Amino acid sequence: MENKALQCNSSATKQSKLMAEQMEECKNDLYLGMMSGTSLDGVDIVLMDFVGTPTLLAADCISMPADLRQDLAELIHSGGASLQKLGEIDHRLGLLYAECIHTFLAKNQLKPEQIQAVGCHGQTIWHAPKGDFPFTMQIGDMNLVAAKTGITVIGDFRRKDMAFGGQGAPLVPAFHQALFADPKAIVGVLNIGGISNISLLVPNQAVMGYDIGTGNTLLDSWIERHQGKRFDHDAEWAKTGNVHVDLLAELLDDPFFQQPPPKSTGRELFNLDWLAKKLAKVTACSPEDVQATLVEFTAQSIANELAKVSNPNHLPCRLLVCGGGARNPLLMARLQALTDWQIHTTTEFGLNVDDVEAAAFAWLAYQRVHGLAGNLPSVTGATQAVSLGAIFPKM
């Protein structure tokens, strides 16, 4: 596959002997990347080797305990909690991250001293980059993670960018540029997680990257409310419904979609309360029709952004999709139907769709340890490029 910037081998059955040999050869530039996103489904963790060509050596996803997931969902939904409750969830999440690291190391026959650092994004519970006092909050006690694992942890990636006037998000476009840029094509790297965000890599232009809008968060919340399922496997439920045209128009009419980049968003905007207000403005809609409409909403909001990309030189336009949405066949089919871009997954270009964001935070940790910039001012709106993340030493 052309432009295959990463060698990816996520299969647990093929790792043990090969990885042992790679460990012996590498010069201890191994990093872990960890991410728990807006979908709250689990903790993604990867092992990256940054000696020479960045190489993904192993990956896993560890489920979020149901009680912690429920408490996090309530915290994010309400936007408030007692300091006692907030502190306890912060501590519990730190313990979970540490447990995930121990499990991952044991599974892959690794020792803590082989890992240079862990890049851990933490769990975003609120992101408000606009207003008189912009702020973002990610929790998961990184001091606790470092103490429990004996590995230096890099966390709190977003606030340094915000201190320099940026949105603090998205942070992955610099990583996407390093891996997927092609001098002969326009490349879009689309992550469809809880929120959809895109990196636009146009030859001879500054990288653009921003949050498009909702991804899976409303789809997952809606099916959980009505069917008690965490997600709509293969869009099976959505396929039984029909798109409600008036509801779709209401969803796409939100002012967020008219804002120019840089911009970022999250569950503090796109949640079930927001959806309820939209539903109140249209005629009755069955639950399955809402689910079908939400898929179309995600697809059209993405296609609308792709249509804005200028291409005066008529270069090939390639969209590489990652995140949970890449596994939604209905969403992928609608994307292909709504745009003339070539639609691929990142898996086809060397990095499994489930591992991209966690790998990005391993890369950001590497950048921080080496004092290299991790943000792109053209993406976040920061006044300058800076090295992101706070360092939590192992001792």
Side-chain angles (χ1 to χ4, degrees):
M1 181 64 68
E2 64 176 322
N3 196 33
K4 188 171 181 179
L6 259 153
Q7 322 286 311
C8 179
N9 176 18
S10 299
S11 172
T13 59
K14 297 178 181 178
Q15 283 170 3
S16 55
K17 185 176 179 180
L18 174 62
M19 197 155 55
E21 294 172 354
Q22 289 172 321
M23 299 303 162
E24 289 297 320
E25 294 175 1
C26 83
K27 294 181 171 46
N28 199 30
D29 229 5
L30 302 178
Y31 288 76
L32 296 183
M34 298 181 69
M35 178 75 186
S36 55
T38 51
S39 59
L40 302 176
D41 52 353
V43 179
D44 294 321
I45 181 168
V46 302
L47 173 69
M48 295 289 294
D49 177 9
F50 290 109
V51 174
T53 301
T55 305
L56 191 151
L57 299 178
D60 204 355
C61 181
I62 299 170
S63 296
M64 181 85 69
D67 58 341
L68 181 55
R69 180 177 183 272
Q70 180 63 34
D71 286 345
L72 281 167
E74 290 177 0
L75 176 61
I76 294 167
H77 176 74
S78 67
S82 68
L83 291 177
Q84 176 80 19
K85 185 73 170 179
L86 178 61
E88 289 177 354
I89 295 175
D90 179 56
H91 187 101
R92 289 162 60 197
L93 196 54
L95 291 177
L96 174 64
Y97 289 149
E99 181 182 338
C100 289
I101 291 170
H102 282 301
T103 300
F104 185 83
L105 293 180
K107 184 175 180 179
N108 292 287
Q109 300 179 349
L110 290 163
K111 298 177 181 178
E113 53 266 29
Q114 292 177 273
I115 308 300
Q116 281 282 81
V118 177
C120 184
H121 174 266
Q123 181 64 53
T124 298
I125 59 171
W126 205 258
H127 185 68
K130 299 286 189 179
D132 294 334
F133 304 102
F135 76 98
T136 188
M137 184 175 291
Q138 288 75 42
I139 62 172
D141 188 341
M142 300 301 161
N143 287 293
L144 194 58
V145 178
K148 293 288 185 182
T149 63
I151 306 173
T152 294
V153 177
I154 316 294
D156 193 14
F157 288 97
R158 299 190 182 277
R159 292 199 295 175
K160 188 65 171 287
D161 180 83
M162 293 183 73
F164 282 86
Q167 293 261 326
L171 297 182
V172 293
F175 177 65
H176 293 160
Q177 180 187 39
L179 268 62
F180 299 120
D182 185 339
K184 297 181 179 180
I186 295 175
V187 179
V189 185
L190 172 69
N191 175 60
I192 310 177
I195 297 297
S196 295
N197 56 70
I198 193 167
S199 303
L200 292 171
L201 313 175
V202 181
N204 303 314
Q205 292 187 24
V207 175
M208 291 288 289
Y210 53 95
D211 287 350
I212 291 175
T214 185
N216 301 314
T217 185
L218 291 175
L219 288 164
D220 293 348
S221 296
W222 188 253
I223 195 171
E224 186 167 20
R225 169 175 287 186
H226 288 274
Q227 296 200 346
K229 298 178 181 178
R230 296 276 288 268
F231 65 98
D232 188 6
H233 181 70
D234 286 341
E236 291 171 354
W237 191 40
K239 290 175 184 176
T240 68
N242 297 302
V243 174
H244 191 292
V245 176
D246 291 340
L247 175 60
L248 178 61
E250 280 292 337
L251 299 176
L252 290 169
D253 191 48
D254 192 273
F256 177 81
F257 300 108
Q258 279 70 56
Q259 293 177 24
K263 61 180 180 178
S264 53
T265 189
R267 281 186 180 229
E268 62 278 353
L269 173 59
F270 293 110
N271 52 50
L272 288 180
D273 287 344
W274 178 86
L275 179 58
K277 293 174 183 176
K278 299 294 186 179
L279 284 166
K281 296 181 179 181
V282 300
T283 57
C285 189
S286 70
E288 59 270 25
D289 285 354
V290 173
Q291 190 76 357
T293 305
L294 289 173
V295 172
E296 187 68 12
F297 169 50
T298 296
Q300 288 206 19
S301 62
I302 293 167
N304 289 345
E305 293 303 319
L306 295 177
K308 298 175 184 177
V309 178
S310 176
N311 186 14
N313 296 321
H314 305 290
L315 295 172
C317 293
R318 182 187 308 137
L319 186 68
L320 310 184
V321 187
C322 60
R327 299 190 182 280
N328 184 319
L330 179 58
L331 177 55
M332 292 293 283
R334 291 303 299 147
L335 277 177
Q336 187 67 79
L338 289 167
T339 179
D340 57 2
W341 286 52
Q342 303 165 19
I343 308 294
H344 302 273
T345 66
T346 57
T347 303
E348 299 171 64
F349 282 75
L351 188 56
N352 189 282
V353 295
D354 297 320
D355 302 332
V356 177
E357 284 215 310
F361 284 95
W363 182 81
L364 284 167
Y366 173 88
Q367 295 292 99
R368 182 68 185 92
V369 167
H370 293 276
L372 303 172
N375 67 333
L376 292 171
S378 62
V379 170
T380 67
T383 57
Q384 67 183 72
V386 290
S387 189
L388 304 177
I391 300 174
F392 300 83
K394 59 186 176 182
M395 59 184 298

